[in-house]
């Protein structure tokens, strides 16, 4: 079943063309790593899928529908986020304030809606975090609550924008494995944005690599190739495989280790 389609889509942001006449289709129950050079447009792509940035040309559709800002079929974890670490807000209430997906604020929820929140907490194995103050939680524990927020409403497509930021390798692995388990359990398609491929290798089905307004979607072996990445980076790229890890190199520089910044 087709979950996401881009049909000859062009998107600009702040006067720069980020996506230039690109097309793709993504099927149900796919875990896709979204990667690319600094400023390639990973966040812009996700915001365009959400309907927050209208395309200059072409059509974006989710489950056959397009142009639906606040689409309940999409769950979203933005890259710029705050877990309210300076507050005494408990985990359950923090998840609750995002109920509805597109509207923040202290909620007035009925019994069924609170049950939905408890279900989301259960899905991410965070029930024991529900009564704990956010300021007492680790970065990995807060990410569980942010993921629970994104799962409210039973979305069919989950957009996770840089959920590994500021996490150590152990917590990165925990977040990736949690998302993988949830996606398989619920049959959700996941677009998981990151600036480094290797942590995602054990989990992903495909790679979506962005660069120079273009993209490449396929398996790791299909996409992580010198000729494909050289086109997307606009410079000669070598791919080095060593001990189960993949290094994307420009000369002697590992380009995925360069200083990272956000395009939005």
């Amino acid at each position: 079943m087709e979950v996401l389609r881009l049909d000859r889509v062009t998107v600009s942001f702040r006067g720069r063309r980020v996506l230039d006449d690109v097309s793709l289709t993504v099927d149900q129950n796919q875990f896709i790593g979204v990667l690319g050079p600094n400023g390639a447009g990973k966040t812009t792509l996700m915001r365009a899928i959400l309907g927050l940035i209208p395309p200059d040309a072409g059509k974006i559709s989710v489950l056959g529908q397009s142009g639906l800002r606040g689409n309940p079929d999409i769950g979203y974890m933005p890259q710029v986020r705050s877990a309210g670490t300076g507050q005494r807000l408990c985990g359950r209430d923090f998840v609750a304030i995002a109920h509805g997906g597109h509207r923040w604020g202290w909620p007035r929820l009925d019994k069924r809606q609170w049950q939905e929140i408890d279900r989301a907490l259960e899905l991410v194995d965070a029930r024991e975090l529900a009564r704990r103050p956010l300021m007492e939680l680790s970065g990995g524990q807060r990410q569980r609550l942010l993921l629970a927020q994104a799962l409210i409403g039973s979305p069919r497509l989950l957009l996770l924008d840089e959920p590994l930021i500021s996490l150590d390798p152990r917590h990165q692995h925990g977040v990736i494995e949690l998302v993988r388990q949830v996606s398989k359990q619920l049959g959700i398609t996941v677009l998981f944005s990151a600036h480094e491929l290797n942590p995602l290798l054990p989990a992903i089905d495909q790679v979506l690599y962005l660069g120079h307004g273009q993209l490449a979607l396929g398996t790791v072996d299909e996409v992580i190739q010198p000729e494909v990445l050289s086109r997307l980076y606009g410079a000669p790229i070598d791919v080095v495989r060593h001990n189960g890890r993949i290094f994307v190199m420009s000369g002697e520089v590992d380009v995925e280790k360069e200083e990272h910044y956000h395009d939005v």
Side-chain angles (χ1 to χ4, degrees):
M1 178 180 178
E2 184 181 285
V3 173
L4 173 65
R5 174 183 287 270
L6 274 64
D7 185 11
R8 303 200 66 177
V9 169
T10 296
V11 176
S12 299
F13 181 70
R14 293 178 178 172
R16 181 174 65 91
R17 184 165 289 186
V18 179
L19 301 174
D20 188 4
D21 194 27
V22 299
S23 299
L24 64 80
T25 58
V26 175
D27 292 329
Q28 184 178 3
N29 201 21
Q30 292 289 299
F31 191 136
I32 298 175
V34 181
L35 297 115
N38 286 341
K42 298 185 287 293
T43 294
T44 299
L45 170 64
M46 291 190 176
R47 290 175 64 84
I49 294 169
L50 288 163
L52 301 176
I53 299 177
D56 303 324
K59 181 180 178 181
I60 301 173
S61 58
V62 176
L63 295 167
Q65 300 184 72
S66 61
L68 293 178
R69 186 167 179 165
N71 188 341
D73 286 321
I74 307 175
Y76 178 49
M77 182 191 292
Q79 65 178 205
V80 179
R81 51 197 177 262
S82 171
T85 55
Q87 304 177 40
R88 296 296 298 181
L89 196 67
C90 72
R92 188 171 186 249
D93 288 340
F94 176 68
V95 175
I97 63 176
H99 197 282
H102 62 285
R103 184 173 59 251
W104 282 72
W106 196 259
R108 293 184 178 181
L109 305 180
D110 59 27
K111 181 179 179 181
R112 181 192 61 79
Q113 291 169 322
W114 280 112
Q115 288 174 341
E116 185 179 0
I117 289 163
D118 289 337
R119 171 182 174 273
L121 288 165
E122 186 73 39
L123 283 170
V124 301
D125 194 22
R127 288 298 297 270
E128 64 92 11
L129 306 178
R131 298 298 178 189
R132 292 176 59 185
L134 292 179
M135 62 187 300
E136 296 180 1
L137 303 182
S138 69
Q141 290 170 329
R142 294 185 198 120
Q143 292 298 72
R144 287 179 181 269
L145 297 179
L146 289 161
L147 180 58
Q149 286 183 342
L151 291 171
I152 291 175
S154 301
R156 306 282 294 279
L157 173 64
L158 195 58
L159 307 179
L160 306 181
D161 197 355
E162 298 280 9
L164 304 183
I165 288 177
S166 301
L167 297 182
D168 62 32
R170 180 174 67 87
H171 284 114
Q172 287 184 2
H173 173 78
V175 168
I176 294 167
E177 179 61 20
L178 176 62
V179 173
R180 188 193 67 81
Q181 291 175 1
V182 170
S183 68
K184 295 300 182 185
Q185 179 181 346
L186 301 180
I188 295 175
T189 294
V190 176
L191 268 60
F192 192 117
S193 171
H195 68 275
E196 185 179 357
L197 173 64
N198 285 302
L200 299 177
L201 284 175
I204 56 177
D205 301 301
Q206 291 185 305
V207 175
L208 174 57
Y209 223 103
L210 305 174
H212 275 234
Q214 298 300 305
L215 56 79
L217 174 65
T219 66
V220 171
D221 287 340
E222 290 169 340
V223 173
I224 310 303
Q225 296 290 340
E227 59 274 18
V228 175
L229 297 186
S230 294
R231 172 174 60 87
L232 296 176
Y233 276 87
I237 295 293
D238 294 317
V239 175
V240 178
R241 288 170 166 82
H242 180 69
N243 288 340
R245 294 171 61 83
I246 299 176
F247 302 93
V248 178
M249 308 294 295
S250 177
E252 296 182 356
V253 177
D254 183 349
V255 294
E256 290 190 341
K257 292 292 187 180
E258 289 184 317
E259 183 179 357
H260 186 61
Y261 64 85
H262 305 309
D263 55 292
V264 174

